[in-house]
């Protein structure tokens, strides 16, 4: 099994869609369906099954899948096409055995399908995936196989009787229907954030294992939502991030997300064009009016935060980020480490219980920054979770032994006694540096930005340090710069986004700046020599 790709029914499903589906409402209504490369990729992954010889051979690899793409990428169309296949009496959407060489046989249709399609309100369901599915069933080549209504689409059996159905819902399926789910679609889950919405989704997920012979699954299609709203889409995005960090032991969730990367200046038209193009992907960009979209930023009173979210598919707006992550990434020196016995400074920041605690080391001679310790509160931690003080203290001792530490700046809140003990053990090295002092913090951030802009700082690309750099946002102060603009310090972009390692890096850099700017001390004593 190793690195070999899993067998998939995706190729069969793709072929079926392009042979039997049409476009829903819109300019292409009724025309034959054509999938773009992103949609094909999602379908290939969504219909993967475990290979021959696996304990779960033939079972679905993912029982939940998500697709997150920018506005206007035909994601609702994809949802409707998948629902059509899951409802169709001839679609090859379920495992039907292996050939002798381990390849898949032609897939089979679902027996007695029940397909709830959920959105924020009933009207939105009918306007989105369910409405598209109605058109696909009515105007496609297989219209005689369905009985289409506003409140249900029935699959007709060979005897003309009902043999399964799809329904629009704006809440959880009722208890009777919930046990019958074979596929369920969640349309625009960034709009689902109320407690009853989230309870409905949990109920729907809990229903998935109830018909194991039909291997039920769920698909959600969305655009990035409002950060901090605690929507279903935001939950899925964070879950996918945790999977990418290998924090989930046996993931059963596949998530496809395409966005504009960090570092574009959205005040510049050319940068907006590049960002939207990147977020679109090659196929969608080819038929999109990218420049027309980019020009929307220039409208008076345009909601630029909204525009960046929906057209760049970004949960984090670039204007709100403290640092240019693209510039930071460009300073990566892969594989580099600070040699032992190097002259260094250290930054320490964190909270014992709420967020994270971090140690960052900077080489004084080269400006190379290195994350040396990170203790993060797990998302599912108990209320009494706390960073192990002994681990942090042991790490500090190890750094003091490995390097020639010139100075260590520590933000003392939550660690007052510990920092005090370190200052006794390592006199003339450990110093308190309070980050709640606005003017010194503004200056320290400015020095860090200048180091990034000029390339004076570098790093090894540690993903945790880079993540914390990207998580740091701007918190405006009442102080003004020479141009009359409000100065800012660091703040959270999102309640769950930690940036303590970023703060530790700033403190380590500030310590380095203070060391290199200090004139060398004159040596005392020594032998006198006559100079001729």
């Amino acid at each position: 099994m190793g690195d070999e790709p899993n067998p998939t029914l995706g190729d069969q499903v793709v072929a079926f869609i392009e042979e039997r589906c049409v476009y829903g409402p819109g300019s292409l209504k009724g025309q034959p369906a054509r999938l773009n490369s992103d949609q094909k990729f999602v379908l290939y992954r969504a219909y993967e099954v475990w290979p021959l010889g696996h304990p779960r051979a033939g079972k679905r690899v993912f029982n939940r899948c998500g697709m997150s793409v920018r506005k206007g990428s035909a994601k609702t169309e994809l949802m409707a096409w998948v629902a059509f296949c899951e409802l169709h009496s001839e679609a090859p959407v379920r495992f039907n055995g292996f050939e002798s060489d381990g390849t898949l046989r032609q897939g089979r249709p679902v027996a007695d399908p029940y397909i709830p399609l959920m959105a924020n309100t009933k009207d939105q369901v009918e306007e989105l995936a369910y409405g598209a599915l109605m058109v696909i069933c009515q105007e496609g080549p297989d219209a005689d196989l369905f009985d289409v209504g506003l409140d249900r689409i029935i699959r007709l059996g060979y005897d003309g009787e009902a043999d399964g159905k799809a329904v629009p819902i704006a809440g959880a399926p009722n208890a009777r229907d919930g046990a019958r789910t074979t596929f369920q679609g969640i349309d625009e889950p960034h709009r689902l954030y109320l407690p009853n919405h989230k309870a409905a989704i949990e109920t729907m997920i809990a229903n998935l294992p109830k018909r194991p012979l039909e291997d039920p699954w769920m698909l959600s299609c969305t655009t990035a939502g409002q950060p901090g709203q605690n929507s279903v889409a935001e939950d899925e995005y964070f879950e996918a991030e945790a999977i990418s960090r290998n924090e989930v032991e046996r993931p059963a969730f596949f998530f496809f997300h395409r966005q504009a990367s960090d570092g574009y200046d959205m005040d510049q038209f050319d940068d907006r064009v590049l960002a939207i193009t990147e977020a679109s992907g090659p196929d969608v960009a080819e038929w999109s009016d990218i420049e027309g979209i980019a020009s929307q930023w220039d409208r008076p009173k345009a909601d630029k935060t909204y525009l960046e979210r929906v057209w760049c598919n970004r949960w984090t707006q670039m204007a709100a980020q403290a640092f240019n992550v693209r510039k930071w990434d460009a300073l990566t020196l892969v594989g580099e480490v600070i040699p032992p016995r190097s002259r260094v400074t250290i930054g320490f920041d964190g909270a014992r219980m709420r967020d994270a605690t971090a140690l960052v080391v900077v080489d004084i001679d080269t400006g190379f920054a290195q994350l040396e310790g990170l203790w993060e509160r797990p998302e599912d931690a108990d209320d009494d979770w706390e960073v192990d003080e002994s681990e942090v203290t042991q790490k500090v001792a190890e750094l003091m032994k490995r390097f020639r530490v010139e100075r260590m700046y520590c933000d003392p809140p939550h660690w007052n006694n510990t920092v005090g003990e370190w200052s006794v053990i390592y006199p003339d090295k450990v110093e308190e540096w309070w980050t709640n002092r606005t003017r010194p913090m503004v200056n320290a951030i400015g020095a860090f930005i200048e180091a990034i802009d000029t390339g004076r700082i570098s790093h090894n690309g540690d993903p945790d340090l880079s993540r914390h750099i990207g998580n740091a946002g701007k918190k405006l102060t009442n102080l003004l710069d020479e141009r009359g603009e409000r100065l800012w310090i660091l703040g959270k972009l999102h309640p769950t986004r930690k940036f303590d390692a970023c703060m530790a890096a700033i403190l380590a850099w500030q310590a380095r700046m203070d060391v290199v700017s200090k004139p060398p001390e004159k040596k005392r004593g020594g032998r006198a020599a006559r100079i001729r």
Side-chain angles (χ1 to χ4, degrees):
M1 289 174 273
D3 296 328
E4 290 294 317
N6 292 314
T8 180
L9 292 167
D11 55 339
Q12 298 181 32
V13 175
V14 166
F16 190 87
I17 288 174
E18 296 194 330
E19 178 186 349
R20 311 289 277 274
C21 287
V22 297
Y23 282 94
S27 300
L28 300 176
K29 180 180 178 181
Q31 295 186 30
R34 290 293 176 266
L35 293 157
N36 64 48
S37 58
D38 285 351
Q39 292 170 333
K40 290 179 180 179
F41 178 76
V42 169
L43 291 175
Y44 272 65
R45 296 304 309 274
Y47 283 95
E48 284 185 8
V49 298
W50 292 112
L52 192 65
H54 190 278
R56 292 177 54 80
K59 287 290 187 181
R60 180 180 298 281
V61 174
F62 305 109
N63 63 11
R64 294 167 49 230
C65 298
M67 186 178 192
S68 170
V69 289
R70 68 115 163 131
K71 181 181 176 69
S73 297
K75 57 186 178 296
T76 293
E77 214 87 41
L78 177 67
M79 175 81 73
W81 288 335
V82 172
F84 177 84
C85 293
E86 293 285 327
L87 184 63
H88 202 286
S89 59
E90 299 172 9
V93 291
R94 290 297 182 274
F95 173 72
N96 197 32
F98 292 103
E99 300 290 356
S100 58
D101 61 357
T103 59
L104 296 179
R105 294 175 182 168
Q106 180 72 9
R108 65 169 178 87
V110 174
D112 188 24
Y114 175 72
I115 301 171
L117 296 176
M118 183 181 180
N120 183 23
T121 66
K122 187 74 175 290
D123 290 341
Q124 285 182 340
V125 182
E126 294 169 356
E127 290 174 1
L128 297 172
Y130 186 81
L133 179 59
M134 290 176 61
V135 173
I136 294 165
C137 291
Q138 289 172 319
E139 302 205 6
D142 297 330
D144 58 328
L145 300 180
F146 305 98
D147 177 6
V148 179
L150 290 175
D151 60 347
R152 86 290 180 274
I153 300 172
I154 294 176
R155 183 176 91 179
L156 300 175
Y158 294 110
D159 56 1
E161 297 297 319
D163 188 36
K165 65 180 179 179
V167 296
I169 63 170
N174 63 47
R176 179 176 57 83
D177 285 336
R180 299 175 50 220
T181 301
T182 55
F183 167 76
Q184 52 202 23
I186 313 298
D187 216 345
E188 304 288 12
H190 70 274
R191 295 175 177 169
L192 303 174
Y193 53 85
L194 296 176
N196 62 307
H197 294 152
K198 304 194 74 171
I201 297 299
E202 287 303 312
T203 299
M204 293 174 73
I205 293 174
N207 286 335
L208 288 176
K210 292 183 178 180
R211 290 188 62 185
L213 293 179
E214 300 309 318
D215 215 358
W217 68 292
M218 184 175 95
L219 173 67
S220 63
C221 293
T222 191
T223 296
Q226 182 176 329
Q229 200 169 38
N230 199 29
S231 66
V232 172
E234 191 170 31
D235 290 345
E236 291 185 337
Y237 180 71
F238 286 164
E239 181 180 355
E241 284 191 325
I243 291 172
S244 71
R245 296 193 297 268
N246 297 316
E247 295 175 5
V248 179
E249 187 174 351
R250 288 190 294 272
F253 178 45
F254 167 72
F255 188 75
F256 177 93
H257 177 75
R258 183 184 287 279
Q259 68 167 65
S261 58
D262 293 310
Y264 292 107
D265 183 352
M266 300 304 286
D267 290 330
Q268 302 298 319
F269 181 82
D270 289 344
D271 267 26
R272 295 200 296 268
V273 168
L274 292 173
I276 297 165
T277 300
E278 182 181 359
S280 301
D283 293 347
V284 175
E286 185 177 349
W287 51 259
S288 297
D289 180 8
I290 301 293
E291 293 194 357
I293 296 170
S295 67
Q296 293 186 45
W297 270 256
D298 297 325
R299 290 186 292 106
K301 298 184 179 180
D303 186 344
K304 296 180 181 180
T305 299
Y306 168 81
L307 293 173
E308 183 178 345
R309 175 168 65 81
V310 301
W311 291 114
C312 296
N313 199 38
R314 288 180 54 86
W315 284 94
T316 302
Q317 275 55 63
M318 282 177 265
Q321 286 183 285
F323 305 104
N324 187 319
V325 180
R326 177 170 291 189
K327 288 183 178 180
W328 172 262
D329 290 343
L331 301 172
T332 301
L333 301 177
V334 178
E336 289 292 317
V337 295
I338 301 175
R341 303 304 301 157
S342 298
R343 294 173 62 244
V344 303
T345 53
I346 302 176
F348 172 79
D349 181 74
R352 287 181 181 272
M353 302 180 68
R354 292 196 310 271
D355 294 322
T357 292
L359 285 161
V360 173
V361 176
V362 170
D363 188 313
I364 293 173
D365 294 333
T366 66
F368 186 86
Q370 190 167 290
L371 180 64
E372 281 288 345
L374 181 62
W375 296 262
E376 292 186 284
R377 185 182 191 275
E379 297 296 334
D380 58 351
D382 296 332
D383 292 340
D384 58 354
W385 181 89
E386 188 172 344
V387 176
D388 189 330
E389 179 184 337
S390 64
E391 285 187 16
V392 181
T393 296
Q394 288 172 13
K395 187 63 182 180
V396 170
E398 188 262 320
L399 294 177
M400 292 290 182
K401 184 176 180 181
R402 193 195 331 163
F403 300 116
R404 290 184 292 158
V405 179
E406 296 287 330
R407 195 169 299 186
M408 178 179 178
Y409 281 171
C410 305
D411 189 20
H414 314 292
W415 292 89
N416 298 67
N417 292 334
T418 308
V419 172
E421 291 170 0
W422 292 345
S423 65
V424 173
I425 299 172
Y426 313 108
D428 302 325
K429 296 182 185 294
V430 176
E431 298 183 25
E432 293 184 353
W433 204 100
W434 292 78
T435 61
N436 61 0
R437 297 172 299 153
T438 302
R439 178 59 73 174
M441 195 66 232
V442 166
N443 293 338
I445 292 170
F448 194 69
I449 292 174
E450 182 181 356
I452 295 173
D453 289 343
T454 59
R456 286 188 172 88
I457 192 171
S458 57
H459 57 92
N460 60 9
D462 184 290
D464 288 325
L465 179 55
S466 295
R467 173 165 56 89
H468 279 231
I469 294 288
N471 286 348
K474 298 176 181 177
K475 181 180 179 181
L476 295 177
T477 73
N478 293 324
L479 300 177
L480 302 179
D481 63 13
E482 62 277 4
R483 295 171 296 180
E485 296 181 1
R486 291 174 68 182
L487 296 169
W488 51 268
I489 56 176
L490 298 191
K492 285 188 175 181
L493 288 170
H494 185 277
T496 65
R497 298 285 184 170
K498 306 172 181 68
F499 62 88
D500 302 82
C502 173
M503 186 69 83
I506 293 173
L507 294 181
W509 187 259
Q510 183 62 45
R512 176 187 180 270
M513 295 285 291
D514 292 343
V515 168
V516 298
S517 64
K518 183 180 179 181
E521 295 182 2
K522 295 181 179 180
K523 293 184 179 180
R524 297 181 179 178
R527 295 179 60 185
R530 179 177 294 183
I531 300 176
R532 300 191 178 211

